[in-house]
Amino acid sequence: MTAVGNGAQTAGRPTRLPRSARRKQLLAAAQEVFVAQGYHAAAMDDIAERAGVSKPVLYQHFPGKMDLYLALLDTHCDAIVAKVHDAMKGTKDNKERVGASVQAYFDFVDHESEAFRLVFESDLRNDPAVRQRVERVEQGCIAAITDTIISDTGVSRSHAELLASGLVGAAETAAQFWLAGGRQVPKAEAEALVAALSWRGIASFPLQGESA
């Protein structure tokens, strides 16, 4: 197993990294181990070896395996929510917003790190702390799209939330189905198909000031 880069060697000892850099290194190693083995099969010994550090160094930064896992979840959950927020704010064109939202999910599941497995395929989904973070992804993405739908169409919040949940559910499910099926459809084409389906539904709601 190759260790995640831990800096140049000086007189036989690894260079001491700043705390933030060491934390980043440990999280990268933990992510690789968790993705490959799942939470339950992963061991702190494996993570320390992957990072090229001793277990005491690992425990200085993370008291336990769950702390590592939750830190990774926080990072990736925040990232996907931020991508959907950016999709809403990046343009005033609603068709482009839908496309960018769908692309955010496809980009996430298609990333070489396979970090999406920690969020969408966790073997800890029944753990309250993990479940809360996974639900936060869905709620955060739905909230971002809901606010845009309300602003543009003037429909009630309950209606907007239902529409937003449909878009989020379609994007998430389609992206995972596409990946599990072996990427048989080129990524850009797959994104366009799902975006077109979602846009045909969302576009039927007139903008404020327009008649139905």
Side-chain angles (χ1 to χ4, degrees):
M1 183 179 289
T2 304
V4 174
N6 58 347
Q9 298 279 332
T10 303
R13 296 182 179 180
T15 301
R16 186 180 182 85
L17 293 176
R19 186 172 182 82
S20 60
R22 178 67 75 192
R23 178 183 172 86
K24 183 177 181 180
Q25 175 203 13
L26 296 175
L27 286 171
Q31 178 171 309
E32 293 182 7
V33 173
F34 285 138
V35 166
Q37 301 181 21
Y39 177 83
H40 293 294
M44 292 293 270
D45 285 320
D46 299 328
I47 295 168
E49 180 184 350
R50 184 71 186 88
V53 301
S54 65
K55 281 180 68 177
V57 168
L58 179 57
Y59 281 114
Q60 285 175 10
H61 293 265
F62 298 97
K65 188 168 68 167
M66 179 60 80
D67 299 283
L68 264 170
Y69 197 84
L70 293 179
L72 281 169
L73 268 186
D74 284 335
T75 297
H76 295 298
C77 288
D78 291 345
I80 184 63
V81 173
K83 284 181 176 292
V84 174
H85 272 277
D86 290 345
M88 295 297 102
K89 295 178 180 178
T91 178
K92 294 295 185 182
D93 186 305
N94 287 326
K95 186 175 183 179
E96 291 180 4
R97 283 170 167 165
V98 170
S101 298
V102 171
Q103 183 181 355
Y105 278 92
F106 274 81
D107 286 346
F108 187 53
V109 303
D110 194 42
H111 195 276
E112 62 183 9
S113 70
E114 296 190 88
F116 81 95
R117 299 191 187 281
L118 301 178
V119 179
F120 297 138
E121 298 181 0
S122 173
D123 52 355
L124 282 178
R125 292 292 288 265
N126 290 328
D127 180 271
V130 173
R131 185 171 64 250
Q132 183 271 331
R133 285 163 170 80
V134 173
E135 290 174 351
R136 191 179 76 213
V137 172
E138 182 177 280
Q139 293 165 357
C141 293
I142 288 174
I145 297 172
T146 294
D147 290 341
T148 300
I149 292 174
I150 291 174
S151 175
D152 285 357
T153 67
V155 301
S156 69
R157 176 162 292 277
S158 59
H159 284 72
E161 286 176 338
L162 192 57
L163 291 169
S165 69
L167 176 56
V168 167
E172 178 184 328
T173 300
Q176 292 185 73
F177 180 85
W178 168 80
L179 185 68
R183 301 179 175 88
Q184 295 185 41
V185 178
K187 180 170 176 282
E189 185 178 344
E191 292 169 354
L193 284 169
V194 178
L197 174 65
S198 298
W199 173 245
R200 287 179 183 275
I202 294 291
S204 67
F205 290 85
L207 298 175
Q208 292 199 70
E210 294 181 352
S211 57

